[in-house]
Amino acid sequence: MKPLQQPEWPDPVALEQVIRELRTLPPLVFAGECDDLTTKIGAVARGEAFLLQGGDCAETFDGVTAENIRAKLRVLLQMSVVLQYAASVPVVKVGRIAGQYAKPRSSGEETRDGVTLPSYRGDAVNGLEFTPEARIPDPRRLRGVYNAAAATLNLTRAFTTGGYADLHQVHAWNTDFVNSSPVGRRYEQLATEIERALAFMRACGATADEFKTVDFYASHEALILEYEHALTRIDSRTEQPYDVGGHLLWVGERTRQLDGAHIEFLSSLSNPLGVKIGPTTTPEYIRALIDKLNPKGVEGRLTFITRMGAGKIRDGLPPLLEAVRDHGSPIAWVCDPMHGNTFETPNGYKTRSFDAVMDEVQGFFDAHEQVGTWPGGMHIELTGDDVTECVGGGEALVAEDLANRYETACDPRLNRHQSLELAFLVAERLRAARA
Ligand SMILES: O=C[C@H](O)[C@H](O)COP(=O)(O)O
Ligand SMILES: C=C(OP(=O)(O)O)C(=O)O
Ligand SMILES: [Mn+2]
């Protein structure tokens, strides 16, 4: 079977050149870091940690700025402390970042005002601009992906280890936000409590080096197989293949066929892996997928990212949870409450409602409560900016507001307010689940 959702590159010679070059470039991540993430996700699968995975639907080359990267990291750090403090559970932090440049599409073409052009497939493939030239797939963009991912990872590593992510900065992350909204003020109270706890520990003589840095990992959808293959290397320590273009790779809803090229590719890697699980998934498929991707039952190797839709998760998820429980293999279950809840507004914006997103998260927790399994994490499309892409939330955005700051290159993301609100709501459910 031909691999699905692959670009049709018009210039195979240029493609060959880029791939040759990519094969010689240094790894973006170290295989040992991938193993560390597997270990951490193992704790998620055992019910001892929670995974927070989030970032843009589609990163763009223009979006590789210090401001943008800092804002994204900041909202993820804020969400993490909310979850960690309110639910007393370690949070494994993974960005949809430094590699999330390729998009599967429902349709190969897009029509606007009677003009039809190839769909935008992410900056890895073509340009967002609606012109015939921009929409031609250009393989040189794959080199751009490598450069953008390297620059993003470099700054992310600097922020997470160089002081920005120090827990003592818990107030500083919120300074421009404190009084601008109820959720900003709620966060501020929590930050004050955390500071008090840190001061108490200092007074006890605890040297809190653990609070100074955070472990933060990069993930993206493994979609364009030529790129992912070119960044797959044999690790000198273990002699095993790792995709060194990111720590965790997932395969999406449209490319997860058991006998498809994407699942075959994942099965060859030693990285931690994810697979999106949509509403048509059956227990038989899930069991076969586990046997294919994690035959040895390694803890933390396999994460299922459910994206059923708010109306389907309560019926659709429990049979899958039961099938996995009875199979006995360790799985980290993560909820993507975004992709099953997309709709178009009458004024033409692709959006999601905050209430539906929240309802799917609640349904995810309900399903796990019913079966007695651990709701291991959430996977969110978000941004650190005050965009207006999803309706609802504390700011009560409506369809007419979307025109104000609709900046996504693909799917609508939660803005900073909505992301933090979600974190507070999830923290409450998580605390109950822990109890
Ligand atoms: O991000 C996911 C997919 O690429 C996206 O949801 C597809 O959207 P489309 O239906 O507009 O192609
Ligand atoms: C394409 C995506 O999701 P899914 O495969 O679940 O549709 C995505 O995560 O952006
Ligand atoms: Mn998306």
Side-chain angles (χ1 to χ4, degrees), residues 13-46:
V13 177
L15 175 67
E16 184 51 41
Q17 257 168 13
V18 172
I19 296 301
R20 211 176 310 127
E21 190 185 2
L22 285 172
R23 281 205 199 103
T24 65
L25 290 168
L28 292 170
V29 303
F30 169 51
E33 297 173 324
C34 301
D35 293 346
D36 290 344
L37 180 56
T38 299
T39 303
K40 289 194 165 76
I41 297 177
V44 173
R46 289 195 304 275

PDB file of all heavy atoms in Angstrom, residues 13-46:
ATOM      1  N   VAL A  13      14.847  15.260  -7.838  1.00  0.00           N
ATOM      2  CA  VAL A  13      16.296  15.461  -7.674  1.00  0.00           C
ATOM      3  C   VAL A  13      16.561  16.350  -6.455  1.00  0.00           C
ATOM      4  O   VAL A  13      17.420  16.058  -5.607  1.00  0.00           O
ATOM      5  CB  VAL A  13      16.907  16.080  -8.951  1.00  0.00           C
ATOM      6  CG1 VAL A  13      18.389  16.361  -8.765  1.00  0.00           C
ATOM      7  CG2 VAL A  13      16.675  15.157 -10.135  1.00  0.00           C
ATOM      8  N   ALA A  14      15.777  17.419  -6.349  1.00  0.00           N
ATOM      9  CA  ALA A  14      15.932  18.312  -5.192  1.00  0.00           C
ATOM     10  C   ALA A  14      15.628  17.551  -3.906  1.00  0.00           C
ATOM     11  O   ALA A  14      16.305  17.725  -2.885  1.00  0.00           O
ATOM     12  CB  ALA A  14      15.005  19.515  -5.342  1.00  0.00           C
ATOM     13  N   LEU A  15      14.623  16.682  -3.960  1.00  0.00           N
ATOM     14  CA  LEU A  15      14.280  15.885  -2.771  1.00  0.00           C
ATOM     15  C   LEU A  15      15.472  15.008  -2.368  1.00  0.00           C
ATOM     16  O   LEU A  15      15.873  14.992  -1.201  1.00  0.00           O
ATOM     17  CB  LEU A  15      13.052  15.010  -3.057  1.00  0.00           C
ATOM     18  CG  LEU A  15      12.680  14.051  -1.931  1.00  0.00           C
ATOM     19  CD1 LEU A  15      12.191  14.805  -0.698  1.00  0.00           C
ATOM     20  CD2 LEU A  15      11.607  13.061  -2.379  1.00  0.00           C
ATOM     21  N   GLU A  16      16.048  14.325  -3.330  1.00  0.00           N
ATOM     22  CA  GLU A  16      17.164  13.432  -3.075  1.00  0.00           C
ATOM     23  C   GLU A  16      18.334  14.187  -2.430  1.00  0.00           C
ATOM     24  O   GLU A  16      18.959  13.713  -1.471  1.00  0.00           O
ATOM     25  CB  GLU A  16      17.571  12.792  -4.417  1.00  0.00           C
ATOM     26  CG  GLU A  16      18.678  11.747  -4.350  1.00  0.00           C
ATOM     27  CD  GLU A  16      18.400  10.676  -3.295  1.00  0.00           C
ATOM     28  OE1 GLU A  16      17.240  10.241  -3.192  1.00  0.00           O
ATOM     29  OE2 GLU A  16      19.357  10.305  -2.573  1.00  0.00           O
ATOM     30  N   GLN A  17      18.579  15.390  -2.946  1.00  0.00           N
ATOM     31  CA  GLN A  17      19.684  16.203  -2.405  1.00  0.00           C
ATOM     32  C   GLN A  17      19.438  16.553  -0.933  1.00  0.00           C
ATOM     33  O   GLN A  17      20.326  16.439  -0.094  1.00  0.00           O
ATOM     34  CB  GLN A  17      19.757  17.518  -3.184  1.00  0.00           C
ATOM     35  CG  GLN A  17      20.878  17.530  -4.197  1.00  0.00           C
ATOM     36  CD  GLN A  17      20.731  18.725  -5.126  1.00  0.00           C
ATOM     37  OE1 GLN A  17      19.948  19.646  -4.876  1.00  0.00           O
ATOM     38  NE2 GLN A  17      21.477  18.705  -6.210  1.00  0.00           N
ATOM     39  N   VAL A  18      18.219  16.992  -0.652  1.00  0.00           N
ATOM     40  CA  VAL A  18      17.892  17.387   0.726  1.00  0.00           C
ATOM     41  C   VAL A  18      17.998  16.194   1.660  1.00  0.00           C
ATOM     42  O   VAL A  18      18.551  16.284   2.760  1.00  0.00           O
ATOM     43  CB  VAL A  18      16.459  17.988   0.790  1.00  0.00           C
ATOM     44  CG1 VAL A  18      16.032  18.212   2.225  1.00  0.00           C
ATOM     45  CG2 VAL A  18      16.394  19.276   0.022  1.00  0.00           C
ATOM     46  N   ILE A  19      17.480  15.070   1.211  1.00  0.00           N
ATOM     47  CA  ILE A  19      17.506  13.879   2.074  1.00  0.00           C
ATOM     48  C   ILE A  19      18.948  13.474   2.362  1.00  0.00           C
ATOM     49  O   ILE A  19      19.309  13.138   3.502  1.00  0.00           O
ATOM     50  CB  ILE A  19      16.716  12.711   1.410  1.00  0.00           C
ATOM     51  CG1 ILE A  19      15.239  13.093   1.278  1.00  0.00           C
ATOM     52  CG2 ILE A  19      16.895  11.399   2.149  1.00  0.00           C
ATOM     53  CD1 ILE A  19      14.534  13.410   2.576  1.00  0.00           C
ATOM     54  N   ARG A  20      19.783  13.549   1.322  1.00  0.00           N
ATOM     55  CA  ARG A  20      21.194  13.200   1.522  1.00  0.00           C
ATOM     56  C   ARG A  20      21.825  14.114   2.571  1.00  0.00           C
ATOM     57  O   ARG A  20      22.562  13.674   3.448  1.00  0.00           O
ATOM     58  CB  ARG A  20      21.938  13.300   0.189  1.00  0.00           C
ATOM     59  CG  ARG A  20      23.073  12.313   0.107  1.00  0.00           C
ATOM     60  CD  ARG A  20      23.798  12.294  -1.237  1.00  0.00           C
ATOM     61  NE  ARG A  20      22.926  12.192  -2.381  1.00  0.00           N
ATOM     62  CZ  ARG A  20      22.946  13.034  -3.435  1.00  0.00           C
ATOM     63  NH1 ARG A  20      23.788  14.056  -3.461  1.00  0.00           N
ATOM     64  NH2 ARG A  20      22.143  12.853  -4.461  1.00  0.00           N
ATOM     65  N   GLU A  21      21.499  15.376   2.484  1.00  0.00           N
ATOM     66  CA  GLU A  21      22.056  16.343   3.430  1.00  0.00           C
ATOM     67  C   GLU A  21      21.517  16.076   4.855  1.00  0.00           C
ATOM     68  O   GLU A  21      22.284  16.071   5.824  1.00  0.00           O
ATOM     69  CB  GLU A  21      21.670  17.755   2.976  1.00  0.00           C
ATOM     70  CG  GLU A  21      22.392  18.829   3.738  1.00  0.00           C
ATOM     71  CD  GLU A  21      21.908  20.217   3.347  1.00  0.00           C
ATOM     72  OE1 GLU A  21      20.979  20.325   2.513  1.00  0.00           O
ATOM     73  OE2 GLU A  21      22.445  21.183   3.908  1.00  0.00           O
ATOM     74  N   LEU A  22      20.210  15.837   4.944  1.00  0.00           N
ATOM     75  CA  LEU A  22      19.616  15.601   6.269  1.00  0.00           C
ATOM     76  C   LEU A  22      20.255  14.391   6.955  1.00  0.00           C
ATOM     77  O   LEU A  22      20.425  14.377   8.174  1.00  0.00           O
ATOM     78  CB  LEU A  22      18.102  15.370   6.148  1.00  0.00           C
ATOM     79  CG  LEU A  22      17.238  16.610   5.870  1.00  0.00           C
ATOM     80  CD1 LEU A  22      15.792  16.194   5.585  1.00  0.00           C
ATOM     81  CD2 LEU A  22      17.273  17.589   7.041  1.00  0.00           C
ATOM     82  N   ARG A  23      20.605  13.406   6.142  1.00  0.00           N
ATOM     83  CA  ARG A  23      21.198  12.190   6.723  1.00  0.00           C
ATOM     84  C   ARG A  23      22.539  12.453   7.402  1.00  0.00           C
ATOM     85  O   ARG A  23      22.942  11.715   8.278  1.00  0.00           O
ATOM     86  CB  ARG A  23      21.414  11.143   5.618  1.00  0.00           C
ATOM     87  CG  ARG A  23      20.160  10.420   5.256  1.00  0.00           C
ATOM     88  CD  ARG A  23      20.483   9.042   4.676  1.00  0.00           C
ATOM     89  NE  ARG A  23      19.335   8.568   3.941  1.00  0.00           N
ATOM     90  CZ  ARG A  23      19.241   8.572   2.605  1.00  0.00           C
ATOM     91  NH1 ARG A  23      20.264   8.957   1.864  1.00  0.00           N
ATOM     92  NH2 ARG A  23      18.152   8.170   2.016  1.00  0.00           N
ATOM     93  N   THR A  24      23.213  13.521   6.967  1.00  0.00           N
ATOM     94  CA  THR A  24      24.544  13.787   7.527  1.00  0.00           C
ATOM     95  C   THR A  24      24.489  14.767   8.708  1.00  0.00           C
ATOM     96  O   THR A  24      25.488  14.946   9.398  1.00  0.00           O
ATOM     97  CB  THR A  24      25.461  14.431   6.459  1.00  0.00           C
ATOM     98  OG1 THR A  24      24.918  15.719   6.125  1.00  0.00           O
ATOM     99  CG2 THR A  24      25.563  13.581   5.221  1.00  0.00           C
ATOM    100  N   LEU A  25      23.354  15.409   8.907  1.00  0.00           N
ATOM    101  CA  LEU A  25      23.290  16.448   9.944  1.00  0.00           C
ATOM    102  C   LEU A  25      23.234  15.832  11.350  1.00  0.00           C
ATOM    103  O   LEU A  25      22.748  14.712  11.511  1.00  0.00           O
ATOM    104  CB  LEU A  25      22.068  17.336   9.698  1.00  0.00           C
ATOM    105  CG  LEU A  25      22.196  18.232   8.464  1.00  0.00           C
ATOM    106  CD1 LEU A  25      20.859  18.875   8.105  1.00  0.00           C
ATOM    107  CD2 LEU A  25      23.253  19.305   8.691  1.00  0.00           C
ATOM    108  N   PRO A  26      23.715  16.577  12.346  1.00  0.00           N
ATOM    109  CA  PRO A  26      23.724  16.017  13.705  1.00  0.00           C
ATOM    110  C   PRO A  26      22.305  15.768  14.224  1.00  0.00           C
ATOM    111  O   PRO A  26      21.369  16.468  13.832  1.00  0.00           O
ATOM    112  CB  PRO A  26      24.395  17.111  14.546  1.00  0.00           C
ATOM    113  CG  PRO A  26      24.864  18.142  13.624  1.00  0.00           C
ATOM    114  CD  PRO A  26      24.292  17.914  12.268  1.00  0.00           C
ATOM    115  N   PRO A  27      22.161  14.797  15.118  1.00  0.00           N
ATOM    116  CA  PRO A  27      20.852  14.534  15.733  1.00  0.00           C
ATOM    117  C   PRO A  27      20.322  15.768  16.460  1.00  0.00           C
ATOM    118  O   PRO A  27      21.111  16.550  17.005  1.00  0.00           O
ATOM    119  CB  PRO A  27      21.127  13.434  16.754  1.00  0.00           C
ATOM    120  CG  PRO A  27      22.459  12.896  16.435  1.00  0.00           C
ATOM    121  CD  PRO A  27      23.197  13.909  15.629  1.00  0.00           C
ATOM    122  N   LEU A  28      19.014  15.920  16.467  1.00  0.00           N
ATOM    123  CA  LEU A  28      18.417  17.036  17.213  1.00  0.00           C
ATOM    124  C   LEU A  28      18.227  16.675  18.683  1.00  0.00           C
ATOM    125  O   LEU A  28      18.224  17.535  19.550  1.00  0.00           O
ATOM    126  CB  LEU A  28      17.073  17.419  16.587  1.00  0.00           C
ATOM    127  CG  LEU A  28      17.175  18.040  15.194  1.00  0.00           C
ATOM    128  CD1 LEU A  28      15.797  18.160  14.544  1.00  0.00           C
ATOM    129  CD2 LEU A  28      17.847  19.408  15.264  1.00  0.00           C
ATOM    130  N   VAL A  29      18.026  15.399  18.945  1.00  0.00           N
ATOM    131  CA  VAL A  29      17.909  14.948  20.339  1.00  0.00           C
ATOM    132  C   VAL A  29      18.831  13.741  20.518  1.00  0.00           C
ATOM    133  O   VAL A  29      19.212  13.097  19.548  1.00  0.00           O
ATOM    134  CB  VAL A  29      16.458  14.555  20.714  1.00  0.00           C
ATOM    135  CG1 VAL A  29      15.499  15.700  20.476  1.00  0.00           C
ATOM    136  CG2 VAL A  29      15.990  13.310  19.956  1.00  0.00           C
ATOM    137  N   PHE A  30      19.121  13.446  21.775  1.00  0.00           N
ATOM    138  CA  PHE A  30      19.992  12.316  22.091  1.00  0.00           C
ATOM    139  C   PHE A  30      19.121  11.107  22.452  1.00  0.00           C
ATOM    140  O   PHE A  30      18.128  11.243  23.183  1.00  0.00           O
ATOM    141  CB  PHE A  30      20.916  12.735  23.244  1.00  0.00           C
ATOM    142  CG  PHE A  30      21.702  11.617  23.856  1.00  0.00           C
ATOM    143  CD1 PHE A  30      22.447  10.748  23.071  1.00  0.00           C
ATOM    144  CD2 PHE A  30      21.711  11.442  25.238  1.00  0.00           C
ATOM    145  CE1 PHE A  30      23.172   9.715  23.640  1.00  0.00           C
ATOM    146  CE2 PHE A  30      22.435  10.416  25.818  1.00  0.00           C
ATOM    147  CZ  PHE A  30      23.162   9.542  25.018  1.00  0.00           C
ATOM    148  N   ALA A  31      19.507   9.949  21.954  1.00  0.00           N
ATOM    149  CA  ALA A  31      18.701   8.745  22.196  1.00  0.00           C
ATOM    150  C   ALA A  31      18.498   8.483  23.699  1.00  0.00           C
ATOM    151  O   ALA A  31      17.433   8.021  24.117  1.00  0.00           O
ATOM    152  CB  ALA A  31      19.365   7.538  21.529  1.00  0.00           C
ATOM    153  N   GLY A  32      19.502   8.835  24.491  1.00  0.00           N
ATOM    154  CA  GLY A  32      19.371   8.636  25.942  1.00  0.00           C
ATOM    155  C   GLY A  32      18.234   9.459  26.530  1.00  0.00           C
ATOM    156  O   GLY A  32      17.558   9.037  27.483  1.00  0.00           O
ATOM    157  N   GLU A  33      18.010  10.637  25.946  1.00  0.00           N
ATOM    158  CA  GLU A  33      16.877  11.464  26.412  1.00  0.00           C
ATOM    159  C   GLU A  33      15.548  10.785  26.069  1.00  0.00           C
ATOM    160  O   GLU A  33      14.576  10.876  26.828  1.00  0.00           O
ATOM    161  CB  GLU A  33      16.896  12.828  25.726  1.00  0.00           C
ATOM    162  CG  GLU A  33      18.103  13.683  26.032  1.00  0.00           C
ATOM    163  CD  GLU A  33      18.112  14.946  25.167  1.00  0.00           C
ATOM    164  OE1 GLU A  33      17.704  14.898  23.980  1.00  0.00           O
ATOM    165  OE2 GLU A  33      18.515  15.990  25.685  1.00  0.00           O
ATOM    166  N   CYS A  34      15.514  10.135  24.919  1.00  0.00           N
ATOM    167  CA  CYS A  34      14.290   9.413  24.525  1.00  0.00           C
ATOM    168  C   CYS A  34      14.018   8.300  25.536  1.00  0.00           C
ATOM    169  O   CYS A  34      12.870   8.084  25.939  1.00  0.00           O
ATOM    170  CB  CYS A  34      14.434   8.831  23.124  1.00  0.00           C
ATOM    171  SG  CYS A  34      14.771  10.073  21.870  1.00  0.00           S
ATOM    172  N   ASP A  35      15.083   7.619  25.949  1.00  0.00           N
ATOM    173  CA  ASP A  35      14.910   6.556  26.951  1.00  0.00           C
ATOM    174  C   ASP A  35      14.401   7.134  28.275  1.00  0.00           C
ATOM    175  O   ASP A  35      13.569   6.526  28.948  1.00  0.00           O
ATOM    176  CB  ASP A  35      16.243   5.838  27.200  1.00  0.00           C
ATOM    177  CG  ASP A  35      16.704   5.051  25.976  1.00  0.00           C
ATOM    178  OD1 ASP A  35      15.890   4.846  25.050  1.00  0.00           O
ATOM    179  OD2 ASP A  35      17.890   4.650  25.948  1.00  0.00           O
ATOM    180  N   ASP A  36      14.925   8.319  28.638  1.00  0.00           N
ATOM    181  CA  ASP A  36      14.446   8.937  29.888  1.00  0.00           C
ATOM    182  C   ASP A  36      12.949   9.219  29.788  1.00  0.00           C
ATOM    183  O   ASP A  36      12.200   9.033  30.752  1.00  0.00           O
ATOM    184  CB  ASP A  36      15.176  10.269  30.156  1.00  0.00           C
ATOM    185  CG  ASP A  36      16.636  10.037  30.527  1.00  0.00           C
ATOM    186  OD1 ASP A  36      16.980   8.891  30.864  1.00  0.00           O
ATOM    187  OD2 ASP A  36      17.422  11.008  30.456  1.00  0.00           O
ATOM    188  N   LEU A  37      12.524   9.677  28.611  1.00  0.00           N
ATOM    189  CA  LEU A  37      11.091   9.965  28.443  1.00  0.00           C
ATOM    190  C   LEU A  37      10.283   8.660  28.520  1.00  0.00           C
ATOM    191  O   LEU A  37       9.210   8.630  29.133  1.00  0.00           O
ATOM    192  CB  LEU A  37      10.835  10.714  27.127  1.00  0.00           C
ATOM    193  CG  LEU A  37       9.367  11.059  26.847  1.00  0.00           C
ATOM    194  CD1 LEU A  37       8.738  11.879  27.985  1.00  0.00           C
ATOM    195  CD2 LEU A  37       9.231  11.828  25.527  1.00  0.00           C
ATOM    196  N   THR A  38      10.811   7.601  27.934  1.00  0.00           N
ATOM    197  CA  THR A  38      10.112   6.306  28.041  1.00  0.00           C
ATOM    198  C   THR A  38       9.929   5.937  29.515  1.00  0.00           C
ATOM    199  O   THR A  38       8.835   5.519  29.933  1.00  0.00           O
ATOM    200  CB  THR A  38      10.916   5.199  27.313  1.00  0.00           C
ATOM    201  OG1 THR A  38      11.022   5.560  25.934  1.00  0.00           O
ATOM    202  CG2 THR A  38      10.242   3.846  27.424  1.00  0.00           C
ATOM    203  N   THR A  39      10.991   6.123  30.291  1.00  0.00           N
ATOM    204  CA  THR A  39      10.894   5.796  31.725  1.00  0.00           C
ATOM    205  C   THR A  39       9.814   6.632  32.400  1.00  0.00           C
ATOM    206  O   THR A  39       8.999   6.124  33.178  1.00  0.00           O
ATOM    207  CB  THR A  39      12.260   6.052  32.412  1.00  0.00           C
ATOM    208  OG1 THR A  39      13.239   5.268  31.734  1.00  0.00           O
ATOM    209  CG2 THR A  39      12.233   5.692  33.874  1.00  0.00           C
ATOM    210  N   LYS A  40       9.794   7.924  32.062  1.00  0.00           N
ATOM    211  CA  LYS A  40       8.796   8.808  32.697  1.00  0.00           C
ATOM    212  C   LYS A  40       7.379   8.420  32.272  1.00  0.00           C
ATOM    213  O   LYS A  40       6.444   8.456  33.069  1.00  0.00           O
ATOM    214  CB  LYS A  40       9.078  10.258  32.315  1.00  0.00           C
ATOM    215  CG  LYS A  40      10.335  10.798  32.977  1.00  0.00           C
ATOM    216  CD  LYS A  40      10.367  12.317  32.849  1.00  0.00           C
ATOM    217  CE  LYS A  40      11.393  12.930  33.784  1.00  0.00           C
ATOM    218  NZ  LYS A  40      12.768  12.781  33.339  1.00  0.00           N
ATOM    219  N   ILE A  41       7.213   8.071  30.991  1.00  0.00           N
ATOM    220  CA  ILE A  41       5.868   7.683  30.541  1.00  0.00           C
ATOM    221  C   ILE A  41       5.484   6.332  31.164  1.00  0.00           C
ATOM    222  O   ILE A  41       4.305   6.058  31.395  1.00  0.00           O
ATOM    223  CB  ILE A  41       5.779   7.681  28.993  1.00  0.00           C
ATOM    224  CG1 ILE A  41       6.018   9.100  28.473  1.00  0.00           C
ATOM    225  CG2 ILE A  41       4.408   7.190  28.523  1.00  0.00           C
ATOM    226  CD1 ILE A  41       6.038   9.236  26.959  1.00  0.00           C
ATOM    227  N   GLY A  42       6.486   5.548  31.492  1.00  0.00           N
ATOM    228  CA  GLY A  42       6.221   4.307  32.227  1.00  0.00           C
ATOM    229  C   GLY A  42       5.491   4.607  33.538  1.00  0.00           C
ATOM    230  O   GLY A  42       4.547   3.912  33.923  1.00  0.00           O
ATOM    231  N   ALA A  43       5.916   5.687  34.211  1.00  0.00           N
ATOM    232  CA  ALA A  43       5.244   6.084  35.460  1.00  0.00           C
ATOM    233  C   ALA A  43       3.804   6.509  35.165  1.00  0.00           C
ATOM    234  O   ALA A  43       2.894   6.261  35.966  1.00  0.00           O
ATOM    235  CB  ALA A  43       6.019   7.211  36.143  1.00  0.00           C
ATOM    236  N   VAL A  44       3.584   7.132  34.006  1.00  0.00           N
ATOM    237  CA  VAL A  44       2.218   7.518  33.618  1.00  0.00           C
ATOM    238  C   VAL A  44       1.374   6.246  33.447  1.00  0.00           C
ATOM    239  O   VAL A  44       0.252   6.142  33.949  1.00  0.00           O
ATOM    240  CB  VAL A  44       2.224   8.338  32.302  1.00  0.00           C
ATOM    241  CG1 VAL A  44       0.803   8.586  31.808  1.00  0.00           C
ATOM    242  CG2 VAL A  44       2.977   9.660  32.495  1.00  0.00           C
ATOM    243  N   ALA A  45       1.932   5.266  32.750  1.00  0.00           N
ATOM    244  CA  ALA A  45       1.185   4.022  32.500  1.00  0.00           C
ATOM    245  C   ALA A  45       0.855   3.298  33.815  1.00  0.00           C
ATOM    246  O   ALA A  45      -0.176   2.645  33.925  1.00  0.00           O
ATOM    247  CB  ALA A  45       1.994   3.112  31.579  1.00  0.00           C
ATOM    248  N   ARG A  46       1.715   3.464  34.815  1.00  0.00           N
ATOM    249  CA  ARG A  46       1.463   2.814  36.120  1.00  0.00           C
ATOM    250  C   ARG A  46       0.525   3.618  37.008  1.00  0.00           C
ATOM    251  O   ARG A  46       0.203   3.209  38.116  1.00  0.00           O
ATOM    252  CB  ARG A  46       2.796   2.635  36.880  1.00  0.00           C
ATOM    253  CG  ARG A  46       3.725   1.588  36.329  1.00  0.00           C
ATOM    254  CD  ARG A  46       4.816   1.223  37.341  1.00  0.00           C
ATOM    255  NE  ARG A  46       5.581   2.380  37.785  1.00  0.00           N
ATOM    256  CZ  ARG A  46       6.635   2.888  37.141  1.00  0.00           C
ATOM    257  NH1 ARG A  46       7.032   2.323  36.016  1.00  0.00           N
ATOM    258  NH2 ARG A  46       7.261   3.948  37.606  1.00  0.00           N
TER     259      ARG A  46
END
